[in-house]
Amino acid sequence: MPATPSPPILPPAAAVRSPASGNLAPRLLGRIREACRIGSFEQAQILQRRLVPLLGLTAREPDPVAIKLALSLQHPGISPACRLPLVTAAASLVEDLTYALDDLPRPINGRAVHRLSAA
């Protein structure tokens, strides 16, 4: 009997961008991975939808311009500047990324609640 395929979690375009979202939302991607691991694909899809606005915004500028900007908004020690031939992201992207990053889930009391499984 053939195995039943699992539902898609990330559309192909998002899967290509997942390394960037992994830097911007590592805890959320950990929660998605854990939901998939235990077979809770519906929960994984709900969590993945939280990334869609962020992925759309980072696609507005060439890599790594928007990623560096988003990381600089999360971590003040990181510069949003890029080397030539890349240029700084459009000013309108700063506000949009700020709202998208603020909308991502945060750990409780500033601590990660995800536990790594022993493997």
Side-chain angles (χ1 to χ4, degrees):
M1 174 183 276
T4 305
S6 60
I9 301 303
L10 292 172
V16 172
R17 301 194 66 77
S18 63
S21 60
N23 288 323
L24 300 177
R27 290 181 187 91
L28 181 56
L29 284 184
R31 290 174 60 195
I32 293 170
R33 188 197 79 229
E34 184 64 19
C36 290
R37 188 186 69 77
I38 62 173
S40 182
F41 298 110
E42 186 175 318
Q43 179 67 27
Q45 287 176 328
I46 290 168
L47 292 170
Q48 187 268 331
R49 286 184 195 111
R50 301 288 301 270
L51 286 174
V52 171
L54 184 61
L55 294 173
L57 289 171
T58 58
R60 284 179 22 190
E61 296 281 347
D63 282 341
V65 174
I67 303 304
K68 286 194 73 173
L69 174 60
L71 287 171
S72 74
L73 293 170
Q74 289 180 314
H75 309 284
I78 296 176
S79 169
C82 292
R83 290 177 283 170
L84 291 174
L86 299 173
V87 295
T88 306
S92 62
L93 186 60
V94 175
E95 185 176 353
D96 294 342
L97 272 175
T98 300
Y99 287 125
L101 292 168
D102 285 345
D103 192 42
L104 293 176
R106 301 271 189 260
I108 299 169
N109 295 329
R111 293 178 291 170
V113 293
H114 175 73
R115 289 192 178 93
L116 295 175
S117 58

